[in-house]
Amino acid sequence: MKHIDEAKINSLLKIVPEAKEVEKILEKTKQLKRLTLEESATLLAVTDPGLLKKVYAAASYVKDTIYGRRVVLFIPLYISNICANGCVYCGFNVNNKVTVRKHLSLEQIKQQTEILLKRGHKRILMLAGEAPSTKDNIDYYVDAVKAIYSAEYKGSKIKRVNINVAPMKVEDFKRLKAAGIGTYQLFQETYHDATYRKLHIAGPKMDPDKRLDAIDDAFAAGIDDVGIGPLLGLYDHRFEILAMLMHIEYLEKKYGIGPHTISVPRIEPAPGSEYADNPEHPLTDEEFKKLVAVLRLSVPYTGIIMSTRETPEMRDELVNLGVSQVSAESKVTPGGYEEEDEHNKHNDRQFSLNDQRSLDEIAQSLLGQGYLPSFCAACYRKNRTGEHFMDMAKPGEIKHMCDINALVTLKEYLEDFAKPDVKEKGYKLIEEYKNKLDAQSLELLEKFFKNIDNGVRDEYV
Ligand code: SAM
Ligand code: SF4
C-alpha cells in the first residue's frame, strides 16, 4: 500500500520497551512534542502496569494542556445505505440481502436535521454508502449538505457539517467545500495491504491506494481539515496505529499539516455480516485504552473522535485519556431519528451501538467528570482550519478561545435544552471555570452571557 512501509512497521513491532526509555519518552511528551514512530511503537509495547499508569497520566496531561476540559459533541446523520461495495464487515455491503435499502429525500434530510436541532445538536457528521451509479452522486451530496444547513428550529441552525462519504474527484471535493463542509473524513479501514484486499471484495473500494489518494485529493481541493482512521479488529491494532502514524508523517511532509481528527472505531456486529460477529483481530479494552493514550501522546494536536460504538463506561474513561470529540445518541440507519424505540428491530442499520444515552444524559455525565460539553464550531466559521488552526493550536493559544466558546455554547444548551438537574450541574461547573479565566477573558464571557440572557444566540470568538 502506498506510503506504508510494512517491513519497517513489522520491525518496530518487535521493540521490547525498557523502563528507562519509556520514562524518557514520557518526559518528552510534557513539552507537547510530536513523537517519532519508534517512540510511539515503544509506548504501544508497554505492558508493565506501573509504566502503563504513567502513560495514561501523561496522555491526560497532554489532553488537558492542549484542549482544556472541553469535549465537542456531534451526531451522525446517515442519508443513504445503498452501497456498491463489498466490505465484508459492514451491514450496508452490496451482497447483504437482509439490509433494507433507503435513500433519504432532501425533504427527509431536512426533517431529520430539524429533529436533531430540537434536541440541541449543532454539529452533524453526514454519512452514506457508495453508490455512484444510482442517485447517490455528488449532486445529491451537495444538495444534502445544503438541506442540512437550511434546517432551522427556533432560530437555531446546524453550525458545521462534516462528511464521511466515499472518495471522489478533486472537482467534486471542491463542490462540497463550496457547499460549506467542515471536515472530510475517510477511514482507510486497514493499512495492511493483504488484509485490505481480502476484506473488500467488490466495488470501487477494492483498491487500497485509491482510497489513500482520496485524502490527497481532498487537500488538493482545498479541504484542509481531513479525518482518517483504521477500523480496529480487521488486523493487528498495533500495526494499524503505527501505519496510520506513517500515513500522518507522509501528509505532514507533503502538506505541512496532518489530519484534523483521527477516529479509532472498533468493529461491532452488523446485520448480515458473519465477519463482523467474529472479527479476526479483536482487541481488549485494555489494549484499546492504551492505543488511545499513545495516539494522544504521538500527535498531541490532532483531535481524537470516539463514537457510540463504545460503551458509556469506556467512553467516560477515554475522555480522560485524550478523546476530544464524542458523538451522542447516534442512529446508524438512514431516517433513524424518527424511529425512536425501533432501532434494534430494524435491518437497515450499519452495525450495533453500545451507548444509547440521550444527548442530555451524555452532557450530564461529562459535567459530572468536570468536562465541558461543547457545541462550538467557531474555528471552522472563522476560517481557523488546516495550517492556520495548527499554528494556533501548537502554542496552546486555541485553548483560551475554546474555553470561552465552550462555556458560551454550554450556557446556550443549558438554557434551551437541558433538563433542570443537568442545568444545575452545568451552571455549577461554569462558575468553577469562571474562576480559572483571566480578567480579559472573564469580561468577554460575561458580555456573551448577558447577551444570552437577553435572547441573543450563537456568539463566538
Ligand atoms: N461508505 C463510506 C465508506 O466506507 O467510506 C462511508 C462511511 S461508512 C458509512 C462509515 C464507516 O463505518 C466505515 O468507514 C467503516 O470504518 C465503519 N464500519 C463499517 N462496518 C462497521 C462495523 N461492523 N462496525 C463498526 N464500524 C463499521
Ligand atoms: Fe459501503 Fe462504506 Fe459499508 Fe463499505 S463501509 S459497505 S463502502 S457503507
Side-chain angles (χ1 to χ4, degrees), residues 123-126 160-164 181-184 325:
R123 298 172 61 114
I124 279 182
L125 172 66
M126 182 184 104
R160 175 167 173 144
V161 182
N162 297 331
I163 61 166
N164 183 326
I181 63 156
T183 306
Y184 173 65
Q325 295 191 23

Side-chain angles (χ1 to χ4, degrees), residues 83 85 87 89-90 92-93 128-130 189 205 350:
C83 194
N85 289 316
C87 314
Y89 46 82
C90 177
F92 295 169
N93 90 71
E130 178 171 14
E189 318 296 14
K205 193 167 160 180
Q350 193 187 11

